[in-house]
Amino acid sequence: MTSTMSRRGFLGLALAGVTVAGLAACGGEGGGAAGVKKGGAELSKKLALPTFTAAKIPTPDLPIDAGQDPAYLKYPTELVKSVAAPPGDGKKITSLTQTWDVAPPAAGQSAYLQELNKALGSEWAMNIVVGDGYPDKFNAIIASDDLPDLVWFPPNQGLQRVPELLAAKFHDLTAYLSGDAIKKYPNLANLGDVAWKSAVTDGKLYGVAVAYSKFGQVFLVNQDYWQPVGGATFTSADDFFDKTKQLLDVKKNKYPLEPSYVNHVHMFSHWYGAPNTWKLEGGKLTHQYETQEYLAALEFAVKCFKANLFWPDPALATIKDKVANGQIGAYVESFPGFLNDAKTQKYNLGAIVPFAATPTSKPVYNAGLGSVGFTAISNKVDKARIETLLGVLNYLSAPFGTEEYQLVNFGVEGTHFTKKDGDLAFTDKGTAEVPTTVQPLQFVIGSPSALFLPGQPERTKLIHDFETKVAPLLQPRVTTGHFSDTYTQKNGELSTMASDTIVDFVTGRKPLSDWQSFVKKWMDKGGAAMKAEYEASIAKG
């Protein structure tokens, strides 16, 4: 793999890939689009999504008039109890997940996990991939057939032949989750249609959606790094380039940009006004790769690479320490990562609001997928235990303002946090145990996004302000709610091909004159079929 997609790809246009090993006996047809199994899209459109039931949450302290996440400057004085009793069965619950932070303390050294286990009524055990490499770990576990109880399926790390894998190795949860059946799990019923659509495959619900904010990838900065050029605000792509050139200092090992090339092309594409994957005009779709706006963003990334603006080691696994000490100025992160960094990082955190790359550009901000995928239950789990696991996931997805959310996200009062004057602040023990454990947990199951940073109301305002500024620029994916059989079967292969090829263009291994040849190849291998299927679905409403 040549791509440096990494964590920052979550919720945006991550394109890393993997070939699922050990799947030859699972059925399904490989090869080109001609071999794609048909009918899944029609079945998916007919599926009754889980019936939405809104949970009661405290009234936010800041406006939500532009669609911002509910934001709280003070912690609620009264909490709701959303789960009556511990949902577990006393047995260990194993899961596969990922973190972009440091590994959390082991259960034996974590008072937080010990208390969480008591509340769940079962031991919660995570097999955690730290940094890049989740597809490789996923692949190895599938090949070994030693599956944990719960396996997280990210939406955009290029996992291939997912429908066959789900049918062969995981429980169909449709009967437990679709329609009014979800009401048995009220916190899961609160996740909403947008999140649940990510868990639909071939007309079935094979997993529990992992919800997150609609705000996708974020271009984060250490604001102190940018002070010599007047801060991280820009009037054009040329202005951005000129300021980064001024800040580049190779002798002092200071570089403006982290080496996540594909993610940077995505962020630059906001400035040029490229579509959020697809553009819809007159019932016809155009993929972002077919647009001049995306090509302009790619050309700008090539220009930045030639100017030596990216950190020189593309294999860099963790970058927060280098951002903190002023060696790297900007990095691309998921929105949940933005929240996590705001809670844990001490540097002067900020975010770049998209701006017009040229006088004729119309900047945009791409909405996320509505989830970071779904978590499936291995068919090695006894069917009689499915409802227990769903009950545990229901507990862990409780919204802000509930007792369960407080325990999951902040730990135990007096041990992990203190409350005073309407605020909540982590203790040293809380800082050490809770955020590092919550991040991998929340890739398995998440709550609807809410903004509250313990002891940091000013950072809460900063994030709310960012959401307020980008809300008018927000563009959803026009294919959301529509299904394509070719996408289901071929997106992993196409994503891998695109990711690797974009890196080749940015780093100069391929000339930009080859871009149109790549686009034609991408369309021929499945892009054109996806386009036709989505157009047909959109035409039917």
Side-chain angles (χ1 to χ4, degrees), residues 425-491:
F426 278 125
T427 63
D428 290 344
K429 190 174 187 65
T431 299
E433 293 183 357
V434 179
T436 55
T437 310
V438 168
Q439 187 176 99
L441 189 157
Q442 289 184 337
F443 281 128
V444 178
I445 184 66
S447 303
S449 185
L451 307 182
F452 174 75
L453 303 179
Q456 300 185 87
E458 292 307 312
R459 280 199 169 181
T460 301
K461 291 178 182 177
L462 180 149
I463 298 172
H464 180 270
D465 181 63
F466 172 79
E467 291 188 351
T468 302
K469 289 176 178 175
V470 301
L473 310 177
L474 201 67
Q475 61 172 357
R477 292 196 182 187
V478 296
T479 54
T480 298
H482 297 277
F483 298 90
S484 160
D485 289 310
T486 303
Y487 177 89
T488 301
Q489 296 287 338
K490 300 288 291 181
N491 188 58

Side-chain angles (χ1 to χ4, degrees), residues 7-31:
R7 77 195 181 285
R8 286 79 68 187
F10 288 125
L11 325 184
L13 295 177
L15 297 166
V18 63
T19 300
V20 178
L23 198 54
C26 295
E29 299 179 46

Side-chain angles (χ1 to χ4, degrees), residues 384-406:
R385 201 180 183 217
I386 291 176
E387 292 192 358
T388 295
L389 297 185
L390 292 176
V392 169
L393 295 175
N394 177 70
Y395 185 106
L396 295 172
S397 65
F400 183 85
T402 63
E403 294 180 10
E404 295 77 20
Y405 183 97
Q406 176 175 281

Side-chain angles (χ1 to χ4, degrees), residues 7-14 67-70 152-156 187-188 190-199 208-218 266 276-277 333-339 365-374 397 405 439 442-451 467 474-477 480:
R7 77 195 181 285
R8 286 79 68 187
F10 288 125
L11 325 184
L13 295 177
Q68 305 96 324
D69 291 318
W152 173 55
F153 279 73
N156 45 21
N187 291 329
L188 297 182
N190 179 53
L191 299 183
D193 287 1
V194 174
W196 278 110
K197 286 172 182 176
S198 70
V208 173
V210 185
Y212 80 98
S213 170
K214 61 178 172 291
F215 296 94
Q217 283 185 315
V218 190
H266 176 215
N276 189 351
T277 309
E333 182 60 277
S334 68
F335 191 85
F338 184 12
L339 298 183
Y365 184 87
N366 287 344
L369 295 169
S371 78
V372 279
F374 60 89
S397 65
Y405 183 97
Q439 187 176 99
Q442 289 184 337
F443 281 128
V444 178
I445 184 66
S447 303
S449 185
L451 307 182
E467 291 188 351
L474 201 67
Q475 61 172 357
R477 292 196 182 187
T480 298

Side-chain angles (χ1 to χ4, degrees), residues 500-530:
D500 290 346
T501 306
I502 289 169
V503 171
D504 286 343
F505 282 121
V506 174
T507 58
R509 290 193 289 265
K510 289 185 178 179
L512 277 174
S513 57
D514 287 351
W515 175 249
Q516 295 306 326
S517 295
F518 156 73
V519 174
K520 183 179 186 304
K521 181 180 178 182
W522 190 89
M523 297 298 291
D524 290 345
K525 281 185 170 290
M530 274 193 274

Side-chain angles (χ1 to χ4, degrees), residues 42-103:
E42 291 301 316
L43 292 172
S44 295
K45 287 195 293 184
K46 296 175 182 178
L47 174 72
L49 290 172
T51 302
F52 174 68
T53 305
K56 293 182 179 179
I57 63 171
T59 302
D61 294 325
L62 297 177
I64 53 174
D65 52 352
Q68 305 96 324
D69 291 318
Y72 302 87
L73 303 179
K74 293 185 177 181
Y75 197 69
T77 55
E78 295 185 8
L79 302 178
V80 174
K81 188 174 182 62
S82 68
V83 178
D89 55 9
K91 300 176 183 178
K92 180 185 290 188
I93 299 172
T94 57
S95 61
L96 177 65
T97 185
Q98 186 172 28
T99 186
W100 300 109
D101 209 327
V102 297

